[in-house]
C-alpha cells in the first residue's frame, strides 16, 4: 500500500491540474457536425435538453468490409460514482464516492469484436481494395496512414473463438490507436470512454452494485463470469442489456478506459461536482491503467458497476522478447474494450492533453520494429513504419 | 488487502488449478554458500550470450533475473548492430542492478567465431540463441569447453545436426554439465498439472492428438538485397526465410506443440506423412520456406498426432495442443487450458512466466549440483519436427529411423563473409522451393 502511494505521488498533482483545466474548457468546444446547435450545459441533474436529447441510435458500417457495429446514445447527466463503504465485495479504490457530471456521447452497444479489430490490425480493408481494384476514398487514405500493430507471435484468440467474439489482449495503446484509425476510417470521432463515462453508462441510472440490482445470483441473465462462461469469453450480445441498451457491460471482457489507475477515486480533485474528469496517464508509465466491468475470468464481486481493474506488468509477462511489444498483452485474455463517440469534439491538441488519443512518445521506435516478433536487426519493416498523422 | 489496486483475482491466486508443480523462484537464496563448481571462486554464475536477437536478449534477461548472484559478462553476434542495440536494452532493463550486466568492450565479440570467443571467456553458463542452423556446432564446442548450456529451441535444422547434438549431450552427461533447452511449456505450471492428470489416466485411452501453430506469421524481411553487402548477409539478416538457417517454421515454431504431444505420450513417432506448400507468401523476398504444413505423425501403437502449422493472417488460426481419449479431452492453448472428462471440467490456467521458470530451474540445478539435462528430448523433438518437414517437402512417407540417419546436411561447416550461402537465387531473385515428388531429404 505504501509502495503504491509513493510510486505515484510524484506525478499526481501535475496531472490533475492539467485535467481540471481540460475539463473546464471541454464544454466550450465546437460540437460535432450532426448536432451543430448542441451546447453542453453546466447544470447538474437530469439529462440535457436540446439536440443532445435527439441523439439517435445508429449503425456504423466500416466501409469496404461489410462489418458494422451499433451505437446507442447516452444522454449527458450527473451521477454518483464509486460505491458506498458498506457495499458487499467493495474495494477501497472505489471511493470516496464522487458526484460526477458527464457530457453526452454515443457508446458501442457491444464490445469491439475481432471482426472489427482485425480490419485494422491485419489491413483487411487495404487488401480487399487491392484485390478488387478499388480506389481508396479520402477517408481510406487517411485511415491507411494510421500506425498499425506489428504481427502477433501467436494466435491471440487463444482458441476461444473469433467471429462475433470480443477482441482481447491488446495494450491500452493499441486500443487507443484502433480508435484513431476508426475515426479516420468512418469520419466520426471515436475514442475509449473515460472511467467516469464508463461507470455512468454501466449504471444506467442505478446506484445498486450491479445495473440489474443488488443480487449477484441474477448475474447469469446479464453477465459472463468465471461461473457462467465455460472458462472463456463468449459471443457478444447473448444476454440481457442494461437499462440503456448496453450489452456485456458486466463481464465477458473487462473494458479499457482512458484513465490512469489511482488507488482512490480522483484524489486531489476538490469540489462538489467533477465535470468530465479523467486522470491522464503518462506516456512513460505504461502501468497502471484502468479496465472496467470485470470479465469471464473473474468472480461476481469484480463485475460490480464500481469495481476497478488495474493493469500491471504481469499482463505482458509471457512476452519472451526484449524489448517487449507495445501492442500485445500476452496475458490479458480477459481485457478488451468498447468505443464511445462524444457529441462534442475538441481540437487535436486538447484531445491529446485530455488523454483521448495515444500520447506523444507512447509509440516508441522499438514498438514499430516489433518487440515480440523482432529479432533485433535494428530497422523497422516498411509496412509498420507509418507515423501517426494529424 | 486494504488499499491495494484491484488486480484480477486470477493473478492474485497465481494459478487456480492449484498444482503442486515446483516453482524455482525463491528457492535459490537458501543455497548460497553451498558447494559450487564455477570459476572465480565465488558463487556468482557468469553468463555469456551467443546470439543477440529479441529472444536471446529475453533469455539473458531471464537468466539474470534469478535469485542468487548472476551476471552477464560476454556477448557475441554475427552483427555488430545487433550486439550494441541489445546491450543497450539489457542495461536499461537492469538499471536498478547495473552490476548484473558487465560486458565491457573486450568481451563484446562480433563475427562468425564470436561464439567461440564468448565460450572461451571466463563464463560458467552460455546461452545459445542464434538462428538454429548454427546451434549444433556451438553446442558441441560449449560441451567440449565444459560450460553449462542453455540453448533455445530448435537445436538443429537437419539430421546430421541432431546427431551431433545427441552425441554432445552424452558428453555433457559424462562431464555433469547442465543443459537446458527452451521448450518452456515443459516448465509451465498448467502443462505440468495437465501432465499429471494425463498420466493418471483421466482421459482414458488416448486415441489421437491435434497440434497447431497456425498464426499470422513472423516479421517481414527487413533488409532488401541492395541494403546488404552480399547474398550471405542478406540471408542471415532475413534468416527466417531460409531452411538452412531456420529449419522452416514447422521446426522453428511448431516444435513447441509437437514436443508437447511427444512429451505427454512419452514416445516419438515412427513415421510421418505430410503435405504443404507456399500459397500466400509467394514473393521471392520470402526466400524458400513454406507457409503451410499438415503432417500426420504415426506412433508405434498406431495412434496419431495430427499436426498443422500455417503462416497466413486473417484465417482460422490456433496455437494449441489437444488430446482425445475414451473418457475426455485435453485442450491446451499456452497460458489457457482445460480438461473435460466424463466426471469433471478442470480449468488449467497459469500466470507464471515459464520463460523465467526454466532459468530458475536450471540455475537451481547448477547451484545444488543436481543432474539436469534436457538435451535429449530437445534434440528428438527437433528431429520430429524435421521429420515432418522431410515428409512434407518430399511428399513421401518417411520413417524416423531413416530420417535420423539422413546425411543431408544443410549447413556449411565453415563460413566467412566471402562464402556463398548454400542456396542462391536465380536471375529473377527466386530461391529454390522444395517440390513434393521431386525433392529428396536424403540427397
Amino acid at each position: 500500500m505504501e509502495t503504491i502511494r509513493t510510486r505515484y505521488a510524484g506525478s499526481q498533482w501535475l496531472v490533475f491540474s492539467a485535467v481540471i483545466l481540460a475539463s473546464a474548457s471541454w464544454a466550450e468546444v465546437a460540437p460535432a457536425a450532426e448536432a451543430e446547435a448542441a451546447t453542453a450545459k453546466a447544470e447538474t441533474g437530469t439529462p440535457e435538453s436540446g439536440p443532445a436529447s435527439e441523439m439517435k441510435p445508429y449503425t456504423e458500417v466500416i466501409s469496404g468490409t461489410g462489418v458494422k457495429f451499433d451505437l446507442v446514445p447516452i444522454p449527458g447527466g450527473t451521477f454518483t460514482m464509486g460505491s458506498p463503504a458498506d457495499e458487499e465485495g467493495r474495494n477501497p479504490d472505489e471511493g470516496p464516492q464522487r458526484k460526477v457530471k458527464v457530457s453526452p456521447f454515443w457508446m458501442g452497444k457491444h464490445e469491439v469484436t475481432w471482426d472489427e479489430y482485425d480490419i485494422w490490425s491485419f489491413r483487411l480493408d487495404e487488401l480487399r481494395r487491392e484485390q478488387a481494384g478499388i480506389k481508396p476514398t479520402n477517408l481510406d487514405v487517411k485511415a491507411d496512414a494510421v500506425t498499425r500493430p506489428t504481427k502477433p507471435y501467436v494466435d491471440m484468440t487463444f482458441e476461444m473463438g473469433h467471429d462475433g467474439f470480443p477482441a482481447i489482449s491488446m495494450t491500452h495503446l493499441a486500443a487507443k490507436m484502433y480508435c484513431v484509425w476508426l475515426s479516420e476510417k468512418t469520419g466520426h470521432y471515436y475514442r475509449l470512454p473515460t472511467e467516469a463515462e464508463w461507470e455512468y453508462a454501466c449504471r444506467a441510472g442505478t446506484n445498486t452494485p450491479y445495473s440489474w440490482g443488488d443480487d449477484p445470483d441474477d448475474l447469469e441473465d446479464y453477465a459472463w463470469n468465471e461461473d457462467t462462461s465455460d472458462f472463456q469469453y463468449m459471443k457478444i450480445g447473448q444476454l440481457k442489456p442494461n437499462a440503456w441498451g448496453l450489452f456485456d457491460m458486466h463481464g465477458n471482457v473487462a473494458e479499457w478506459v482512458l484513465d490512469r489507475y489511482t488507488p482512490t477515486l480522483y484524489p486531489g480533485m476538490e469540489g462538489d461536482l467533477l465535470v468530465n474528469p479523467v486522470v491522464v496517464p503518462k506516456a512513460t508509465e505504461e502501468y497502471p491503467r484502468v479496465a472496467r466491468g470485470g470479465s469471464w475470468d473473474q468472480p461476481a464481486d469484480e463485475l460490480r458497476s464500481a469495481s476497478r481493474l488495474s493493469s500491471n506488468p504481469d499482463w505482458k509477462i509471457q512476452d519472451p522478447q526484449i524489448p517487449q511489444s507495445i501492442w500485445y498483452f500476452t496475458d490479458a485474455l480477459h481485457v478488451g474494450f468498447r468505443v464511445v463517440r462524444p457529441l462534442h469534439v475538441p481540437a487535436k491538441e486538447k484531445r491529446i492533453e485530455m488523454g483521448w488519443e495515444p500520447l506523444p512518445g507512447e509509440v516508441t521506435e522499438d514498438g514499430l520494429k516489433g518487440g515480440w516478433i523482432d529479432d533485433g536487426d535494428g530497422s523497422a519493416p516498411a509496412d509498420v513504419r507509418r507515423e501517426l498523422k494529424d | 488487502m486494504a488499499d491495494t489496486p484491484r488486480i484480477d483475482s486470477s493473478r492474485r491466486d497465481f494459478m487456480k488449478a492449484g498444482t503442486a508443480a515446483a516453482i524455482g523462484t525463491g528457492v535459490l537464496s537458501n543455497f548460497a554458500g553451498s558447494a559450487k563448481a564455477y570459476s572465480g571462486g565465488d558463487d556468482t554464475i557468469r553468463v555469456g550470450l551467443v546470439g543477440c536477437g529479441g529472444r536471446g536478449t529475453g533469455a539473458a534477461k531471464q537468466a539474470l533475473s534469478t535469485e542468487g548472484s548472476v551476471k552477464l559478462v560476454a556477448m557475441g553476434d554475427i552483427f555488430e548492430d545487433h550486439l550494441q542495440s541489445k546491450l543497450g536494452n539489457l542495461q536499461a532493463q537492469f538499471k536498478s542492478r547495473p552490476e548484473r550486466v558487465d560486458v565491457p568492450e573486450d568481451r563484446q565479440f562480433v563475427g562468425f567465431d564470436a561464439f567461440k570467443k564468448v565460450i572461451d571467456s571466463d563464463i560458467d553458463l552460455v546461452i545459445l540463441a542464434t538462428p538454429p542452423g548454427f546451434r549444433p556446432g556451438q553446442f558441441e564446442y560449449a560441451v567440449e569447453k565444459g560450460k553449462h548450456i542453455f540453448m533455445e529451441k530448435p537445436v538443429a535444422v537437419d539430421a546430421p545436426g541432431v546427431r551431433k547434438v545427441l552425441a554432445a549431450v552424452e558428453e555433457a552427461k559424462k562431464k555433469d554439465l547442465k543443459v537446458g533447452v527452451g521448450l518452456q511449456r515443459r516448465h509451465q505450471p498448467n502443462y505440468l498439472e495437465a501432465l499429471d492428470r494425463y498420466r493418471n489416466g483421466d482421459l482414458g485411452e488416448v486415441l489421437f492428438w491435434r497440434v497447431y501453430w497456425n498464426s499470422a506469421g513472423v516479421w517481414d524481411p527487413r533488409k532488401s538485397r541492395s541494403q546488404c553487402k552480399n547474398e550471405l548477409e542478406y540471408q542471415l539478416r532475413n534468416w527466417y526465410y531460409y531452411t538452412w538457417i531456420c529449419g522452416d517454421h514447422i521446426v522453428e515454431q511448431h516444435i513447441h506443440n509437437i514436443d508437447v504431444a511427444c512429451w505427454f505420450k512419452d514416445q516419438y513417432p515412427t513415421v510421418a506423412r505430410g503435405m504443404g506448400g507456399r500459397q500466400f507468401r509467394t514473393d521471392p523476398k520470402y526466400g524458400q520456406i513454406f507457409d503451410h504444413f499438415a503432417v500426420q505423425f504415426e506412433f508405434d501403437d498406431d495412434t496419431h498426432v495430427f499436426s498443422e502449422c500455417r503462416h497466413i493472417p486473417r484465417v482460422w488460426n490456433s496455437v494449441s495442443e489437444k488430446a482425445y481419449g475414451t473418457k475426455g479431452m485435453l485442450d491446451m492453448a499456452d497460458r489457457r487450458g482445460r480438461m473435460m472428462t466424463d466426471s469433471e471440467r478442470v480449468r488449467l490456467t497459469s500466470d507464471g512466466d515459464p520463460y523465467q521458470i526454466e532459468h530458475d530451474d536450471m540455475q537451481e540445478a547448477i547451484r545444488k549440483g543436481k543432474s539436469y539435462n534436457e538435451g535429449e528430448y530437445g534434440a528428438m523433438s527437433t528431429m520430429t519436427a524435421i521429420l515432418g518437414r522431410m515428409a512434407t517437402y518430399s511428399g513421401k512417407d518417411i520413417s524416423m529411423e531413416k530420417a535420423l540417419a539422413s546425411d543431408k546436411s544443410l549447413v556449411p561447416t565453415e563460413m566467412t563473409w566471402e562464402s556463398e550461402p548454400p542456396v542462391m537465387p536465380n536471375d529473377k531473385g527466386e530461391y529454390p522451393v522444395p517440390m513434393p515428388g521431386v525433392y529428396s531429404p536424403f540427397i
Side-chain angles (χ1 to χ4, degrees):
Chain A
M1 157 183 150
E2 285 310 313
T3 326
I4 288 157
R5 288 215 165 128
T6 313
R7 203 192 309 165
Y8 303 114
S11 58
Q12 244 164 38
W13 285 106
L14 186 68
V15 173
F16 284 127
S17 58
V19 169
I20 290 164
L21 180 70
S23 55
S25 54
W26 182 355
E28 297 158 14
V29 300
E34 286 77 359
E36 279 168 16
T39 52
K41 300 213 173 88
E43 57 273 9
T44 61
T46 51
E48 296 179 25
S49 57
S53 67
E54 291 164 19
M55 292 164 68
K56 299 224 166 17
Y58 68 99
T59 298
E60 187 77 85
V61 180
I62 303 181
S63 64
T65 66
V67 173
K68 40 182 97 159
F69 62 97
D70 295 330
L71 293 109
V72 296
I74 306 295
T78 300
F79 78 113
T80 300
M81 187 168 170
S83 58
D86 59 354
E87 186 167 300
E88 184 115 9
R90 180 184 194 263
N91 189 286
D93 67 0
E94 297 164 24
Q97 284 184 292
R98 300 288 202 153
K99 204 173 190 187
V100 171
K101 179 181 163 57
V102 298
S103 298
F105 57 94
W106 288 270
M107 187 173 225
K109 196 173 183 177
H110 302 110
E111 291 152 345
V112 172
T113 60
W114 285 119
D115 313 58
E116 297 154 56
Y117 191 78
D118 279 359
I119 298 169
W120 169 65
S121 63
F122 289 129
R123 302 187 170 280
L124 179 59
D125 53 337
E126 283 185 69
L127 289 165
R128 283 263 169 79
R129 286 201 312 268
E130 273 171 29
Q131 204 146 63
I134 297 168
K135 286 215 164 101
T137 64
N138 291 342
L139 291 176
D140 288 336
V141 169
K142 291 173 74 182
D144 289 355
V146 174
T147 303
R148 308 208 190 192
T150 54
K151 264 181 259 176
Y153 183 58
V154 296
D155 166 52
M156 299 307 290
T157 70
F158 295 96
E159 283 290 282
M160 295 188 282
H162 186 280
D163 294 5
F165 290 91
I168 52 158
S169 287
M170 72 292 293
T171 58
H172 193 244
L173 169 64
K176 288 190 292 187
M177 195 66 86
Y178 170 84
C179 295
V180 172
W181 169 81
L182 186 64
S183 301
E184 298 287 25
K185 184 80 182 169
T186 61
H188 293 147
Y189 186 78
Y190 291 101
R191 59 168 168 78
L192 296 180
T194 66
E195 188 170 8
E197 287 167 340
W198 191 95
E199 186 171 327
Y200 174 67
C202 175
R203 289 185 174 280
T206 66
N207 56 13
T208 45
Y210 303 94
S211 61
W212 63 76
D214 54 13
D215 189 351
D217 290 344
D218 293 340
L219 182 141
E220 60 181 25
D221 292 334
Y222 295 90
W224 300 112
N225 85 331
E226 65 175 12
D227 301 317
T228 61
S229 70
D230 205 17
F231 310 150
Q232 69 159 75
Y233 61 43
M234 305 298 274
K235 275 196 178 174
I236 58 163
Q238 297 191 78
L239 302 174
K240 290 185 190 168
N242 74 5
W244 289 354
L246 300 166
F247 290 81
D248 302 310
M249 288 296 279
H250 303 278
N252 208 18
V253 294
E255 299 173 12
W256 281 122
V257 296
L258 287 172
D259 298 59
R260 182 164 65 84
Y261 176 87
T262 55
T264 59
L265 283 184
Y266 308 115
M269 291 176 78
E270 305 304 331
D272 294 338
L273 179 68
L274 300 179
V275 180
N276 295 321
V278 56
V279 183
V280 180
K282 293 174 75 174
T284 51
E285 289 174 1
E286 189 172 3
Y287 316 100
R289 299 179 186 181
V290 181
R292 287 299 215 107
S295 71
W296 61 270
D297 204 14
Q298 292 172 258
D301 66 9
E302 295 178 18
L303 270 60
R304 287 173 304 104
S305 301
S307 180
R308 309 170 71 209
L309 201 57
S310 162
S311 74
N312 65 79
D314 279 357
W315 290 16
K316 211 188 263 192
I317 195 167
Q318 291 181 75
D319 177 346
Q321 305 260 349
I322 299 293
Q324 290 185 311
S325 173
I326 63 173
W327 304 108
Y328 299 99
F329 273 150
T330 52
D331 300 81
L333 276 59
H334 56 316
V335 178
F337 66 105
R338 78 177 70 212
V339 299
V340 298
R341 177 183 168 198
L343 183 60
H344 306 285
V345 183
K348 172 104 181 165
E349 188 179 305
K350 184 65 70 184
R351 302 199 299 262
I352 289 180
E353 186 184 323
M354 294 190 294
W356 284 16
E357 293 177 19
L359 305 160
E362 218 171 359
V363 178
T364 61
E365 187 66 21
D366 277 341
L368 291 172
K369 277 190 271 176
W372 200 8
I373 56 160
D374 185 84
D375 76 337
D377 87 347
S379 59
D383 71 336
V384 298
R385 204 177 182 81
R386 305 202 180 192
E387 299 307 318
L388 179 60
K389 299 218 172 86
D390 281 0
Chain B
M1 302 243 312
D3 256 22
T4 51
R6 178 62 68 108
I7 59 174
D8 8 356
S9 55
S10 57
R11 312 303 110 162
R12 285 201 302 263
D13 295 351
F14 184 59
M15 189 174 59
K16 287 186 173 173
T19 174
I23 310 295
T25 318
V27 175
L28 302 175
S29 53
N30 299 336
F31 299 99
S34 67
K36 51 195 175 282
Y38 9 98
S39 58
D42 62 27
D43 68 349
T44 299
I45 295 178
R46 295 166 62 84
V47 180
L49 172 62
V50 174
C52 305
R55 178 77 278 266
T57 311
K61 182 204 163 191
Q62 281 123 17
L64 299 179
S65 300
T66 54
E67 299 284 327
S69 178
V70 55
K71 63 163 70 169
L72 182 70
V73 298
M75 291 170 74
D77 200 284
I78 286 180
F79 297 112
E80 172 81 27
D81 56 322
H82 282 194
L83 194 150
Q84 292 307 329
S85 82
K86 297 305 181 183
L87 176 57
N89 286 142
L90 281 169
Q91 284 165 336
Q93 288 282 331
F94 289 91
K95 213 160 39 184
S96 62
R97 286 183 292 180
E99 74 284 355
R100 295 213 161 192
V101 182
D102 178 20
V103 189
E105 222 167 283
D106 64 348
R107 291 200 297 267
Q108 302 169 10
F109 304 108
V110 172
F112 287 99
D113 62 351
F115 78 93
K116 287 189 179 170
K117 293 175 177 167
V118 170
I119 291 167
D120 288 341
S121 302
D122 184 19
I123 60 168
D124 307 296
L125 165 64
V126 65
I127 296 169
L128 301 178
T130 66
F134 303 108
R135 196 100 66 240
Q138 295 172 353
F139 178 62
E140 185 180 52
Y141 188 78
V143 170
E144 185 191 323
K145 297 291 178 168
K147 310 296 184 184
H148 302 302
I149 297 140
F150 178 85
M151 58 179 160
E152 272 304 333
K153 43 46 62 178
V155 303
V157 297
D158 54 21
V162 169
R163 294 200 302 270
K164 185 178 277 191
V165 170
L166 284 169
V169 165
E170 290 311 306
E171 276 305 300
K173 284 179 184 165
K174 284 180 203 158
K175 294 182 172 184
D176 195 27
L177 304 176
K178 316 306 173 199
V179 176
V181 175
L183 290 163
Q184 79 284 345
R185 282 170 177 74
R186 299 237 186 187
H187 298 261
Q188 193 163 326
N190 58 333
Y191 279 76
L192 293 167
E193 160 96 13
L195 181 67
D196 278 351
R197 293 174 177 275
Y198 185 97
R199 294 269 165 85
N200 190 43
D202 290 10
L203 296 182
E205 186 189 347
V206 175
L207 305 171
F208 66 97
W209 281 72
R210 296 160 57 206
V211 297
Y212 301 99
W213 194 299
N214 290 344
S215 73
V218 296
W219 42 270
D220 254 42
R222 272 161 305 211
K223 296 270 189 200
S224 66
R225 177 65 182 80
S226 62
Q227 289 172 307
C228 297
K229 65 183 176 218
N230 62 18
E231 180 64 27
L232 182 60
E233 185 194 350
Y234 176 67
Q235 292 189 22
L236 288 171
R237 291 279 185 189
N238 302 321
W239 63 272
Y240 211 97
Y241 297 98
Y242 302 89
T243 309
W244 70 274
I245 324 174
C246 154
D248 211 329
H249 63 106
I250 188 174
V251 178
E252 211 282 332
Q253 280 185 323
H254 191 32
I255 181 178
H256 281 297
N257 321 100
I258 294 169
D259 175 64
V260 167
C262 295
W263 168 34
F264 276 53
K265 289 173 74 67
D266 199 22
Q267 58 184 146
Y268 284 98
T270 51
V271 180
R273 303 171 184 87
M275 61 177 75
R278 276 162 78 93
Q279 180 177 14
F280 169 74
R281 210 164 41 192
T282 53
D283 191 288
K285 74 178 177 181
Y286 297 119
Q288 56 175 167
I289 67 169
F290 281 13
D291 58 24
H292 63 285
F293 294 79
V295 180
Q296 302 174 25
F297 292 102
E298 182 180 314
F299 290 71
D300 208 21
D301 57 3
D302 283 341
T303 60
H304 284 75
V305 172
F306 302 101
S307 132
E308 288 178 15
C309 56
R310 177 166 66 177
H311 276 183
I312 301 181
R314 297 171 290 270
V315 296
W316 172 73
N317 277 330
S318 171
V319 177
S320 64
E321 307 91 18
K322 305 160 200 295
Y324 296 82
T326 50
K327 291 185 189 165
M329 68 95 65
L330 171 68
D331 179 14
M332 302 300 290
D334 206 338
R335 59 281 280 155
R336 193 182 146 266
R338 53 190 171 168
M339 184 179 275
M340 259 81 88
T341 69
D342 293 345
S343 55
E344 59 179 345
R345 293 158 69 244
V346 183
R347 179 182 168 174
L348 297 161
T349 302
S350 66
D351 304 297
D353 176 7
Y355 295 96
Q356 184 60 50
I357 296 169
E358 63 183 347
H359 285 274
D360 294 341
D361 290 351
M362 179 166 179
Q363 289 186 24
E364 182 191 348
I366 292 173
R367 290 184 188 279
K368 292 174 77 172
K370 294 197 298 195
S371 63
Y372 191 92
N373 198 316
E374 301 177 341
E376 192 173 329
Y377 76 66
M380 284 311 296
S381 290
T382 298
M383 189 61 226
T384 305
I386 291 171
L387 172 67
R389 186 192 70 210
M390 288 176 165
T392 305
Y393 278 7
S394 68
K396 310 268 195 188
D397 55 333
I398 309 249
S399 73
M400 175 66 97
E401 191 182 359
K402 211 173 158 197
L404 188 52
S406 170
D407 283 327
K408 183 161 184 159
S409 176
L410 307 184
V411 194
T413 43
E414 291 294 327
M415 221 182 296
T416 70
W417 280 120
E418 279 65 54
S419 305
E420 191 171 274
V423 296
M424 291 294 284
N426 64 16
D427 53 9
K428 291 181 203 149
E430 299 162 342
Y431 294 86
V433 174
M435 180 63 74
V438 178
Y439 174 92
S440 167
F442 304 111
I443 55 166

